[in-house]
């Protein structure tokens, strides 16, 4: 079975982490308390095999608070 490495982190977003990520696994990012999702708000990334490489799909999510 193929596995993705650790996903990249997003400022002010949290993620429930496993140790190993199988191809096909989808991660759901959530903004931390006090932070809101700003456009773009796609908070998922998927482990995929593309051209023989195991990668995470690009993640577009920004978490910001109203004072920033």
């Amino acid at each position: 079975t193929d596995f993705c490495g650790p996903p990249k982190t997003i400022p002010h977003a949290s993620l429930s982490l496993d140790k190993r990520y199988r191809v096909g696994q989808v991660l759901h990012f959530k903004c931390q308390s006090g932070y809101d999702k700003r456009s773009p708000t796609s908070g998922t990334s998927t482990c995929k095999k593309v051209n023989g490489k195991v990668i995470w799909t690009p993640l577009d999510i920004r978490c910001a608070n109203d004072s920033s």
Side-chain angles (χ1 to χ4, degrees), residues 36-58:
D36 295 317
K37 281 186 186 174
R38 299 288 162 88
S39 183
T41 59
S42 167
T44 61
S45 184
T46 307
C47 181
K48 286 189 173 177
K49 191 167 191 174
V50 180
N51 298 328
K53 283 186 178 173
V54 182
I55 58 147
W56 288 109
T57 58

Side-chain angles (χ1 to χ4, degrees), residues 2-8 18-21 27 47 54-56:
D2 292 309
F3 292 93
C4 279
K8 78 175 186 181
D18 287 329
K19 298 292 180 272
R20 291 152 71 91
Y21 303 96
L27 299 182
C47 181
V54 182
I55 58 147
W56 288 109

